[in-house]
Amino acid sequence: MSGRHFLQVPGPTNVPTRVLHAIAQPTIDHRSPEFAALTREVLSGLQTVFGSSDPVVVFPASGSGAWEASLVNTLSPGDRVLAVENGEFARMWAEVARRLGLDVQLVPGEWGRGVDPALIESSLTEDSAHQVRAILIVHNETSTGATTRMAEVRRAMDRVRHPALLLVDTVSSLASIEVCHDAWRSDVTLSGSQKGLMLPPGLGFNAVSAKALEASRSARLPKYYWAWEPMLAANAAGFFPYTPATNLLFGLREALRMLNDEGLGRVFARHRRLARATRAAARTWGLQILCGAEDECSSIVTALVMPGGHDADALRALAYERFDLSLGPGLGRLKGRVFRIGHLGDFNDLMLAGTLCGVEMSLACAGVPFTRGGVDADMAELETV
Amino acid sequence: MSGRHFLQVPGPTNVPTRVLHAIAQPTIDHRSPEFAALTREVLSGLQTVFGSSDPVVVFPASGSGAWEASLVNTLSPGDRVLAVENGEFARMWAEVARRLGLDVQLVPGEWGRGVDPALIESSLTEDSAHQVRAILIVHNETSTGATTRMAEVRRAMDRVRHPALLLVDTVSSLASIEVCHDAWRSDVTLSGSQKGLMLPPGLGFNAVSAKALEASRSARLPKYYWAWEPMLAANAAGFFPYTPATNLLFGLREALRMLNDEGLGRVFARHRRLARATRAAARTWGLQILCGAEDECSSIVTALVMPGGHDADALRALAYERFDLSLGPGLGRLKGRVFRIGHLGDFNDLMLAGTLCGVEMSLACAGVPFTRGGVDADMAELETV
Amino acid sequence: MSGRHFLQVPGPTNVPTRVLHAIAQPTIDHRSPEFAALTREVLSGLQTVFGSSDPVVVFPASGSGAWEASLVNTLSPGDRVLAVENGEFARMWAEVARRLGLDVQLVPGEWGRGVDPALIESSLTEDSAHQVRAILIVHNETSTGATTRMAEVRRAMDRVRHPALLLVDTVSSLASIEVCHDAWRSDVTLSGSQKGLMLPPGLGFNAVSAKALEASRSARLPKYYWAWEPMLAANAAGFFPYTPATNLLFGLREALRMLNDEGLGRVFARHRRLARATRAAARTWGLQILCGAEDECSSIVTALVMPGGHDADALRALAYERFDLSLGPGLGRLKGRVFRIGHLGDFNDLMLAGTLCGVEMSLACAGVPFTRGGVDADMAELETV
Amino acid sequence: MSGRHFLQVPGPTNVPTRVLHAIAQPTIDHRSPEFAALTREVLSGLQTVFGSSDPVVVFPASGSGAWEASLVNTLSPGDRVLAVENGEFARMWAEVARRLGLDVQLVPGEWGRGVDPALIESSLTEDSAHQVRAILIVHNETSTGATTRMAEVRRAMDRVRHPALLLVDTVSSLASIEVCHDAWRSDVTLSGSQKGLMLPPGLGFNAVSAKALEASRSARLPKYYWAWEPMLAANAAGFFPYTPATNLLFGLREALRMLNDEGLGRVFARHRRLARATRAAARTWGLQILCGAEDECSSIVTALVMPGGHDADALRALAYERFDLSLGPGLGRLKGRVFRIGHLGDFNDLMLAGTLCGVEMSLACAGVPFTRGGVDADMAELETV
């Protein structure tokens, strides 16, 4: 295949050359002074993107490891956790909790909406005995393209004065949609490297509140690899309790510098703008945007529903083979019914335009009923801003 | 700037990651056995892309050096050469000849057409004394987007039985449009690395016929760096008479492998297809394609004429600043009047689609009068093939 | 600092440029056909280096994660495991087991020797009730430079017909010292990427026997991230149950190809040879080699004991600052008393010679009492082979 | 072959990873504002390393092109130039002049010494008619390892008040041994990229005095590619008259930053120190250092004479095959009689130590008579400084 692949799944995202070159630097001794300086720079830079004055812990792991870490550090076997199933990642995180031996209260949610703050409020109100020890919320549900209004979730928790820990998955939002660990009073904000941070997969993160750290001291789920305390102790000196993923940390340093150069506010605005242009195209095509509320539409991924009888995976296969374009599949119960356009990370207007041309041509070639003009609508949006 | 730059000048072209990594390999000793194997592979591979069984000489130089080399090896001070000025590169090559002390017969040509074989025929017919020692033809005139029908030029020369050397500039056609050094009986076919070969600039090439080599033995223009004979002698053993541009040769090896993997026939067809789609967009926009004959339209670059009173360079500046898109300027007498879209090298459908979206949006933002729908026409073309 | 750093800790090792470039390739969709081909190639190649016809599981994790995985998949809370403390890594793995809630029978061993097969035999003989569910052995103890004779350990287990699982840590031996998962009838052979595999840290491995897999079905330690079964199920189709560390897998593919090109037998012989030359230097210097048995001396690292009253870490700091040489520190109870020379991975005669010159000069500059001539002895060894 | 190759020819030198990654950045439009900033930075940085307030011209060419450029810009056919043949590169540059049609007065010099200032003085004194238009001096003669005392050469010229242009080849000295274009009142100081500048080959340089520029206006050797005037005119705006070698310029920018970070004074001192240690080894081995005067011994290369009857190229072949070490051959009349150790560029103590171990072992394996202990002497030297 000639030319560049269009990697428009909602993660892993396109890794910039600067970051790829950074991870291709010669590996160094993780016990050297040079390494300690690297550690300090990335840990400090991560706090900024997490909106956190709390420490951030970095694991050699993917985001699923960050899920496990958030649970084994804070909870004990049989502890109750509350989760709302509004998408496949919310469902899977709850499943992780279940497998680890927790008592999961999984409340049905709407696939295509953020978690309803009122639902949290009512669920917690019912829990007058405060048996719920932690609430699990996926900030940006990658499977549906819906973002939860986290500030409102926190206000709902506050209104009922519930002491549960708030665990927030920001795997697909961090560094693309504003994450406010401090302002949300999140107890664990977890994430991964392969989305807005523009890195390959392989790093998992936990931003850890003082309350979460306190909880970890009595939490009885067994833990070694994910344990925060030895990590924080070693980090204080610039090191890690076991061998860290050195070269990905080189990449992380570079990515954090790039984000800082662009300015986080501008990064978020860029993602909102490109998402808006994507939705303009989708509306013209006449394809339903799975996310049912404009103010919850994700800045980083748009899930589109296929017209009845048409298979999303067949469309994706055509886009891949004919136009060298990777689109995200429908996950879980959405399999075959939706496809997802990732528009995040190291991304700009013409990459989006090329992507949407690829989608429009694929729809045509696949014989999917749709209305032409989506790309025109996208361009109209991009011209006016 | 986030995301990838769209480098759509007609060279340098987008260098594939494989080639960039190849040139980033550690430099080796240019007198080692390992180097000799490299030399042999690239010289053999170059013959294939030149359509040549004659040797190809590689200079550490850009294409302008390959111009100079073609002249100083074959000609003596005061020798007459015939050139047709059908574009800026044709004009400049003739100017090189003039500065080197040759007697240049520069026949006016049409900017926007290939060299007319009939014009060559009539010019040579007039030269019954055979004073013209060499004819200079630019195969693909990058400034206008017009390709010369070389086989017909050779037939015109044959009809008048003129013994002049045929020197052909394939800087912007090699490895994108079929080059037939042998079939055209070209005496020097010259080129550079930064176009269809998908390399950074820095290598110049001369494919050298036996007749040209014979001419070099009596040619009296002074030469050292460009001299073919020591080069061919050293190449025979896998080496070079002076330090070669080792890392660019690493890249050349990789690029030749990529071209071979895709298959040259498919490479040429891909370029024709993308050029056709570009012209479909241009016609819808209502912008004049500078090249006035469909069968001479270049597969690698399309020059578009700005509507009267509108400055092409202002449009280009807007495209660069707002959409991170580099377009080619009008050169020489075309300055400000045309802009050029490069569509060559490591390039595919969605890269073209993104590029044309960038052009369409730039036209709109710059207030240039045009008709919407160019991208739609491009997509229609790409869908049908 | 000008010139190349000498990274001679016993891992991470020097990553070859080919591997660094491989990990710098653009990240791809981990659900694409292209990715499935990558998965298949690396899983098959890993079996070869593990000497295994059993499947190998790959985690986005460092070697410590591979420790945890080997335990949580096979054991239940309170299960007894037997380990011999013959070095810091043996001690730490046992500590991991303890933290995960296992009943660890930690038998004292000799720091500077491999695990004594007779000690395993006697310990198991005492366990007539077969309470020991698993035996943990570190094949090559990186902290002391001693290799355990695994085949003899297996024979000892066989003699007493003990049914315990055999878990073997080959983090620092894999792809440098022969590992024979099948021949040893190892149940879990675990490793990491950053030693003999010549990769940056970030991948952990478990080769899993049928018996271990059977054990995993009833093992009750909680597990999600490390669970083998979903991993093996997904791997069968070329995929992973959660996002894998794509770019490190690119590097792994390249490293496996390099090992295959050199030939594993030659790789092992090269390591033995360089280790022998290192010991020749050490003996001339008059520094005690910590490993007390020639046939257990590690091929990948040599730990040297400092003369009384001299601080190994001061020597290492001097080597780092003055000669840009990283040496391994004494770990655990050896802190300050030994330093370690790594001689593994992408390594050759002159890299070793430069390293040993660095050690000899550092000893001199640090005022450590020693006998000159170590490098001469090293050269004599390297010349004769 | 496992491990790193030791590339110890006196150029091309080991290219640092930072520079390799720089040249692997995506190629940009050489007419863009971004490119103009690149041009300005490298041209300014080059002035610093040339010790020049005069402009420096950059050609896509190797050092041989810089030779040709220095001549065709300043001279006319038949002009007399004076050169002293004290090595192969001095001889070859004179040969270039001869081939270009100049009248070369080639004075015999001593192979193994710098150019004798007294010889220049006497030669110029004889030229009372001032027929000599230019004097060609190789600052550091790479074939013999002898450096000319340029300040004394200039003083000699001044004493006889000769108006000839002074052309100085600093191909192998620039950025390793101090070059003082201004202080020497050099008219053309020429160089290349692949030595002290730590780049791959492919860039040639001319620093051009006002007097040289004045001479270029009346010089009649034909020129196009090498012509300074269009180059300087284009450079003033940040551009080039023809396509420059963009990616090598990326590398040049990085290399200049690295040199600036280390500090030129420290760079020169480092080279002197490593050269001294090399000579200490050679003296112990009992091999004759070709350069016969300590104060003219090159900081960047040491040429060693083989004992009678022993072939230097056989030794080099052994070093290459057995120890993966590239040494420089004897050139021209020295072929087979000397080998050369390059110790320049991105180079440090342990790289030198490894190199000298490779030489010592090769001498032993090749059966060359020599005295052991060279590496010991090298270490003694490196320890004391």
Side-chain angles (χ1 to χ4, degrees):
Chain A
M1 276 286 199
S2 173
R4 222 174 286 128
H5 180 65
F6 275 65
L7 179 69
Q8 298 314 136
V9 298
T13 62
N14 295 287
V15 180
T17 300
R18 276 177 64 178
V19 172
L20 289 172
H21 285 181
I23 66 173
Q25 290 174 90
T27 306
I28 59 172
D29 178 10
H30 55 284
R31 294 186 180 100
S32 66
E34 186 185 356
F35 191 90
L38 168 65
T39 302
R40 291 201 180 93
E41 180 172 345
V42 300
L43 293 185
S44 165
L46 282 171
Q47 287 181 302
T48 302
V49 297
F50 274 97
S52 171
S53 52
D54 290 330
V56 181
V57 163
V58 181
F59 299 106
S62 58
S64 300
W67 274 348
E68 185 159 321
S70 71
L71 300 169
V72 299
N73 275 288
T74 53
L75 298 163
S76 299
D79 275 357
R80 178 169 297 171
V81 301
L82 172 69
V84 177
E85 197 218 85
N86 69 325
E88 180 65 6
F89 288 94
R91 189 195 68 71
M92 283 169 67
W93 190 13
E95 173 66 14
V96 173
R98 200 188 57 71
R99 290 206 209 163
L100 294 176
L102 299 170
D103 172 18
V104 180
Q105 179 184 351
L106 185 58
V107 181
E110 187 174 345
W111 285 49
R113 293 296 304 270
V115 170
D116 185 354
L119 185 61
I120 296 295
E121 187 163 355
S122 61
S123 300
L124 293 180
T125 301
E126 286 168 22
D127 179 39
S128 53
H130 291 180
Q131 287 188 301
V132 169
R133 300 296 301 263
I135 304 172
L136 318 186
I137 309 273
V138 176
H139 178 215
N140 183 76
E141 176 53 63
T142 323
S143 66
T144 65
T147 308
T148 290
R149 290 163 281 135
M150 285 305 306
E152 297 184 33
V153 168
R154 167 46 76 188
R155 280 196 290 273
M157 290 176 68
D158 287 351
R159 273 193 297 273
V160 298
R161 299 175 184 267
H162 196 288
L165 293 163
L166 175 60
L167 312 188
V168 186
D169 168 334
T170 66
V171 170
S172 66
S173 53
L174 189 77
S176 299
I177 303 172
E178 189 167 25
V179 167
C180 309
H181 172 84
D182 282 0
W184 300 339
R185 301 207 320 282
S186 172
D187 292 301
V188 186
T189 308
L190 65 93
S191 197
S193 54
Q194 77 275 18
K195 312 266 182 174
L197 286 177
M198 310 181 293
L199 285 164
L203 295 179
F205 309 106
N206 278 184
V208 178
S209 76
K211 183 176 165 187
L213 196 56
E214 179 61 32
S216 77
R217 299 205 174 98
S218 53
R220 295 188 323 277
L221 275 173
K223 57 179 171 285
Y224 162 73
Y225 192 77
W226 311 114
W228 291 336
E229 284 205 76
M231 190 68 91
L232 292 170
N235 284 178
F239 300 108
F240 285 82
Y242 47 76
T243 313
T246 305
N247 289 47
L248 292 175
L249 295 176
F250 288 153
L252 177 57
R253 174 169 57 187
E254 192 69 20
L256 290 167
R257 287 176 184 176
M258 290 176 74
L259 290 166
N260 186 62
D261 287 350
E262 184 174 356
L264 277 179
R266 274 189 291 272
V267 170
F268 303 147
R270 172 167 56 79
H271 282 84
R272 284 194 300 270
R273 178 174 179 272
L274 296 173
R276 205 157 52 227
T278 304
R279 293 195 297 275
R283 278 190 291 263
T284 300
W285 290 330
L287 295 186
Q288 184 200 334
I289 297 165
L290 184 65
C291 180
E294 179 70 15
D295 67 339
E296 291 181 347
C297 278
S298 171
S299 286
I300 69 101
V301 60
T302 299
L304 298 180
V305 182
M306 291 294 281
H310 289 273
D311 178 13
D313 290 339
L315 178 78
R316 290 175 50 250
L318 186 151
Y320 180 77
E321 282 156 28
R322 185 142 171 190
F323 298 110
D324 209 10
L325 167 64
S326 286
L327 297 169
L331 296 177
R333 67 165 74 158
L334 296 171
K335 181 167 167 45
R337 291 175 47 218
V338 312
F339 67 93
R340 294 173 299 140
I341 304 169
H343 33 72
L344 76 161
D346 187 49
F347 199 58
N348 63 23
D349 287 18
L350 299 195
M351 292 169 82
L352 176 63
T355 299
L356 296 179
C357 285
V359 173
E360 185 159 328
M361 291 192 286
S362 297
L363 289 167
C365 293
V368 176
F370 79 108
T371 306
R372 291 275 180 181
V375 171
D376 296 330
D378 159 67
M379 290 195 285
E381 183 72 31
L382 294 177
E383 286 166 22
T384 56
V385 185
Chain B
M1 277 287 197
S2 173
R4 285 198 173 264
H5 180 65
F6 275 64
L7 179 68
Q8 297 314 136
V9 298
T13 62
N14 295 288
V15 180
T17 300
R18 275 177 63 178
V19 172
L20 289 172
H21 285 180
I23 66 173
Q25 289 175 91
T27 306
I28 59 172
D29 179 10
H30 55 284
R31 294 185 182 101
S32 65
E34 185 186 358
F35 191 90
L38 167 67
T39 302
R40 291 201 181 94
E41 179 172 346
V42 300
L43 293 185
S44 165
L46 281 171
Q47 287 180 302
T48 303
V49 296
F50 274 96
S52 171
S53 52
D54 290 329
V56 181
V57 163
V58 182
F59 299 107
S62 59
S64 299
W67 274 348
E68 185 159 320
S70 70
L71 300 170
V72 299
N73 275 288
T74 54
L75 298 163
S76 298
D79 275 357
R80 178 169 296 172
V81 302
L82 172 69
V84 178
E85 196 217 88
N86 71 324
E88 180 65 6
F89 288 95
R91 190 195 67 71
M92 283 169 66
W93 191 13
E95 173 67 14
V96 173
R98 200 189 56 72
R99 290 207 210 164
L100 293 176
L102 299 170
D103 172 19
V104 180
Q105 179 184 348
L106 185 58
V107 181
E110 188 175 342
W111 285 48
R113 292 296 303 270
V115 171
D116 185 355
L119 184 60
I120 296 294
E121 187 163 355
S122 61
S123 299
L124 292 180
T125 302
E126 287 168 22
D127 179 39
S128 53
H130 290 179
Q131 288 190 302
V132 169
R133 301 295 301 265
I135 304 172
L136 319 186
I137 308 272
V138 176
H139 178 215
N140 184 75
E141 176 55 63
T142 324
S143 67
T144 66
T147 308
T148 289
R149 290 163 282 135
M150 285 306 305
E152 297 184 32
V153 168
R154 167 46 76 187
R155 281 197 287 273
M157 290 176 69
D158 286 350
R159 274 193 296 273
V160 298
R161 298 175 185 267
H162 197 289
L165 294 163
L166 175 59
L167 313 188
V168 186
D169 168 334
T170 65
V171 170
S172 65
S173 53
L174 188 77
S176 299
I177 302 172
E178 189 168 24
V179 167
C180 309
H181 172 83
D182 282 359
W184 300 340
R185 302 207 319 283
S186 172
D187 292 301
V188 187
T189 309
L190 65 92
S191 197
S193 54
Q194 78 275 19
K195 312 266 183 175
L197 285 176
M198 310 181 293
L199 285 164
L203 295 179
F205 309 105
N206 278 185
V208 177
S209 76
K211 182 175 165 188
L213 196 56
E214 178 62 31
S216 77
R217 299 205 174 98
S218 54
R220 296 190 320 277
L221 275 173
K223 57 180 169 287
Y224 162 72
Y225 192 78
W226 311 114
W228 291 335
E229 285 205 76
M231 190 68 91
L232 292 170
N235 283 178
F239 300 109
F240 285 82
Y242 46 76
T243 314
T246 305
N247 289 47
L248 292 175
L249 294 177
F250 289 153
L252 177 57
R253 174 170 56 187
E254 191 70 19
L256 289 167
R257 288 175 183 176
M258 291 177 73
L259 289 166
N260 186 62
D261 287 350
E262 185 174 356
L264 277 180
R266 275 190 289 273
V267 170
F268 302 147
R270 172 167 55 81
H271 282 84
R272 284 194 300 272
R273 179 173 178 273
L274 296 173
R276 205 158 51 229
T278 304
R279 293 196 297 275
R283 278 190 292 264
T284 301
W285 290 329
L287 295 187
Q288 185 199 334
I289 296 165
L290 185 64
C291 180
E294 178 69 14
D295 67 339
E296 292 182 346
C297 278
S298 171
S299 286
I300 69 102
V301 61
T302 299
L304 297 179
V305 183
M306 292 293 281
H310 290 274
D311 179 12
D313 289 339
L315 177 78
R316 290 175 51 249
L318 185 151
Y320 181 78
E321 283 156 28
R322 185 142 170 191
F323 297 109
D324 209 11
L325 167 64
S326 286
L327 297 169
L331 296 176
R333 68 165 74 158
L334 296 172
K335 180 166 165 47
R337 291 176 45 218
V338 312
F339 67 93
R340 293 173 299 141
I341 303 169
H343 34 72
L344 75 162
D346 187 49
F347 199 58
N348 64 23
D349 287 18
L350 299 196
M351 292 169 83
L352 176 64
T355 299
L356 296 179
C357 286
V359 173
E360 184 160 328
M361 291 191 287
S362 297
L363 289 167
C365 294
V368 176
F370 79 108
T371 305
R372 291 275 179 180
V375 171
D376 295 329
D378 160 66
M379 290 195 285
E381 183 71 30
L382 294 177
E383 285 165 23
T384 56
V385 185
Chain C
M1 276 286 197
S2 174
R4 223 175 287 128
H5 179 65
F6 275 64
L7 179 68
Q8 299 313 136
V9 297
T13 62
N14 295 287
V15 180
T17 300
R18 274 177 66 178
V19 172
L20 289 171
H21 285 181
I23 66 172
Q25 290 175 90
T27 307
I28 60 172
D29 179 11
H30 54 284
R31 294 185 181 99
S32 65
E34 186 185 357
F35 191 89
L38 168 66
T39 301
R40 291 201 180 94
E41 180 172 346
V42 300
L43 293 185
S44 165
L46 282 171
Q47 287 181 301
T48 303
V49 296
F50 274 95
S52 171
S53 52
D54 290 330
V56 181
V57 164
V58 182
F59 299 106
S62 57
S64 300
W67 274 348
E68 184 158 322
S70 70
L71 301 170
V72 299
N73 275 287
T74 53
L75 299 163
S76 298
D79 276 357
R80 178 169 297 173
V81 301
L82 172 70
V84 177
E85 199 217 86
N86 69 326
E88 180 65 8
F89 288 95
R91 190 196 66 72
M92 283 169 67
W93 191 13
E95 173 66 15
V96 173
R98 200 189 56 72
R99 289 208 210 162
L100 294 175
L102 299 170
D103 173 18
V104 180
Q105 179 184 348
L106 186 57
V107 181
E110 188 176 343
W111 285 49
R113 292 295 304 269
V115 170
D116 184 355
L119 185 60
I120 296 293
E121 187 165 355
S122 62
S123 299
L124 292 180
T125 302
E126 286 169 22
D127 179 40
S128 53
H130 290 179
Q131 287 189 304
V132 169
R133 301 296 302 266
I135 303 171
L136 319 187
I137 309 272
V138 176
H139 178 214
N140 183 75
E141 176 54 64
T142 324
S143 67
T144 65
T147 308
T148 289
R149 291 163 280 135
M150 285 305 306
E152 297 184 34
V153 168
R154 166 47 75 187
R155 281 196 288 273
M157 291 175 68
D158 287 350
R159 275 193 294 274
V160 298
R161 300 177 186 264
H162 198 288
L165 294 163
L166 174 60
L167 313 189
V168 186
D169 169 335
T170 66
V171 169
S172 65
S173 53
L174 188 77
S176 299
I177 302 171
E178 188 167 25
V179 168
C180 309
H181 172 84
D182 282 0
W184 300 339
R185 300 205 322 282
S186 171
D187 291 302
V188 187
T189 309
L190 64 94
S191 197
S193 54
Q194 77 275 18
K195 310 266 183 174
L197 285 176
M198 309 181 293
L199 285 163
L203 295 179
F205 309 106
N206 277 184
V208 177
S209 77
K211 182 176 165 188
L213 197 57
E214 178 61 31
S216 77
R217 297 206 175 97
S218 54
R220 294 190 322 277
L221 274 173
K223 57 179 168 286
Y224 162 72
Y225 192 77
W226 311 113
W228 291 335
E229 284 207 75
M231 191 66 92
L232 291 170
N235 283 178
F239 300 108
F240 285 81
Y242 46 77
T243 313
T246 305
N247 289 47
L248 292 175
L249 294 176
F250 289 154
L252 177 57
R253 174 170 55 187
E254 192 69 19
L256 290 167
R257 289 176 183 176
M258 290 176 74
L259 289 166
N260 186 62
D261 287 351
E262 185 174 355
L264 277 180
R266 274 190 290 272
V267 170
F268 303 147
R270 172 167 55 81
H271 282 84
R272 284 193 301 269
R273 178 174 180 273
L274 297 173
R276 205 158 51 228
T278 304
R279 293 195 296 274
R283 278 190 291 262
T284 301
W285 290 330
L287 295 187
Q288 184 200 335
I289 296 166
L290 184 64
C291 180
E294 179 70 14
D295 67 338
E296 292 182 345
C297 279
S298 172
S299 287
I300 70 102
V301 62
T302 299
L304 298 180
V305 182
M306 291 294 281
H310 289 273
D311 179 12
D313 290 339
L315 177 78
R316 290 175 51 249
L318 186 151
Y320 181 78
E321 282 156 28
R322 184 140 171 194
F323 297 110
D324 210 10
L325 167 64
S326 285
L327 297 169
L331 296 177
R333 66 165 76 157
L334 297 171
K335 181 167 166 46
R337 292 175 45 219
V338 312
F339 66 94
R340 293 173 300 141
I341 304 169
H343 34 72
L344 76 162
D346 186 49
F347 199 56
N348 62 25
D349 286 16
L350 299 195
M351 292 169 82
L352 175 64
T355 299
L356 296 180
C357 285
V359 173
E360 184 160 328
M361 291 192 285
S362 297
L363 290 166
C365 294
V368 176
F370 78 109
T371 305
R372 292 274 180 181
V375 171
D376 295 329
D378 159 67
M379 290 195 286
E381 183 72 32
L382 294 177
E383 285 166 23
T384 56
V385 185
Chain D
M1 276 288 198
S2 174
R4 286 200 172 262
H5 180 66
F6 274 65
L7 178 68
Q8 298 314 136
V9 298
T13 62
N14 295 287
V15 181
T17 300
R18 273 177 65 177
V19 172
L20 289 171
H21 285 181
I23 68 172
Q25 290 175 90
T27 307
I28 60 172
D29 179 10
H30 54 283
R31 293 185 181 101
S32 66
E34 186 185 356
F35 191 90
L38 168 66
T39 302
R40 290 200 181 93
E41 180 171 346
V42 299
L43 293 184
S44 165
L46 282 170
Q47 287 180 303
T48 302
V49 295
F50 274 96
S52 171
S53 52
D54 290 330
V56 181
V57 163
V58 181
F59 299 106
S62 58
S64 300
W67 273 347
E68 184 158 322
S70 71
L71 300 170
V72 298
N73 275 287
T74 53
L75 298 163
S76 298
D79 275 357
R80 178 169 297 172
V81 301
L82 171 70
V84 177
E85 199 217 85
N86 69 324
E88 180 65 7
F89 288 95
R91 190 196 67 73
M92 282 170 67
W93 190 14
E95 173 67 14
V96 173
R98 200 189 56 73
R99 289 208 210 163
L100 294 175
L102 299 170
D103 172 18
V104 180
Q105 180 184 349
L106 186 58
V107 181
E110 188 175 345
W111 285 48
R113 291 296 304 269
V115 170
D116 184 355
L119 184 60
I120 296 294
E121 187 163 357
S122 61
S123 300
L124 293 180
T125 301
E126 287 168 22
D127 179 39
S128 54
H130 291 179
Q131 285 188 304
V132 169
R133 301 296 302 265
I135 304 171
L136 319 186
I137 309 272
V138 176
H139 178 214
N140 184 75
E141 176 54 63
T142 323
S143 66
T144 65
T147 308
T148 290
R149 291 163 279 134
M150 285 305 307
E152 295 183 35
V153 169
R154 167 46 77 187
R155 280 196 290 273
M157 291 175 68
D158 288 351
R159 274 194 294 273
V160 298
R161 299 174 187 269
H162 198 287
L165 294 163
L166 175 60
L167 313 189
V168 186
D169 169 334
T170 65
V171 169
S172 65
S173 53
L174 188 76
S176 299
I177 302 171
E178 188 167 26
V179 167
C180 309
H181 172 84
D182 282 0
W184 299 339
R185 299 205 323 282
S186 171
D187 292 302
V188 187
T189 309
L190 64 93
S191 198
S193 54
Q194 77 275 19
K195 311 264 184 176
L197 285 176
M198 310 182 291
L199 284 164
L203 295 179
F205 310 106
N206 278 184
V208 177
S209 77
K211 183 176 164 187
L213 196 56
E214 179 61 31
S216 77
R217 298 204 175 98
S218 53
R220 294 190 322 278
L221 274 174
K223 57 180 170 286
Y224 163 73
Y225 191 78
W226 311 114
W228 292 335
E229 284 206 76
M231 191 67 91
L232 292 170
N235 283 178
F239 300 108
F240 285 82
Y242 47 76
T243 313
T246 305
N247 288 46
L248 292 176
L249 295 177
F250 289 153
L252 177 57
R253 174 170 55 188
E254 192 68 19
L256 290 167
R257 288 176 183 176
M258 290 175 75
L259 289 166
N260 186 62
D261 287 351
E262 185 175 355
L264 278 179
R266 272 188 292 272
V267 170
F268 303 146
R270 172 167 54 82
H271 282 83
R272 284 194 300 270
R273 177 173 181 275
L274 297 173
R276 206 156 51 227
T278 304
R279 292 195 297 274
R283 278 190 293 262
T284 302
W285 289 328
L287 295 186
Q288 184 199 335
I289 296 166
L290 184 65
C291 180
E294 178 71 15
D295 66 339
E296 292 181 345
C297 278
S298 173
S299 287
I300 70 101
V301 61
T302 300
L304 298 180
V305 182
M306 290 294 282
H310 289 273
D311 179 11
D313 290 339
L315 177 77
R316 291 174 51 249
L318 186 151
Y320 181 78
E321 282 155 30
R322 183 141 172 193
F323 298 110
D324 209 10
L325 166 65
S326 286
L327 297 169
L331 296 177
R333 66 164 76 157
L334 297 171
K335 181 166 167 46
R337 291 176 45 220
V338 311
F339 67 93
R340 293 173 299 141
I341 304 169
H343 34 71
L344 76 162
D346 186 50
F347 199 57
N348 63 25
D349 287 17
L350 299 196
M351 292 169 81
L352 176 63
T355 299
L356 297 179
C357 286
V359 173
E360 185 160 327
M361 291 192 286
S362 297
L363 289 167
C365 294
V368 176
F370 79 108
T371 307
R372 291 275 180 181
V375 170
D376 295 329
D378 159 68
M379 290 195 286
E381 182 72 31
L382 295 177
E383 285 166 24
T384 56
V385 184

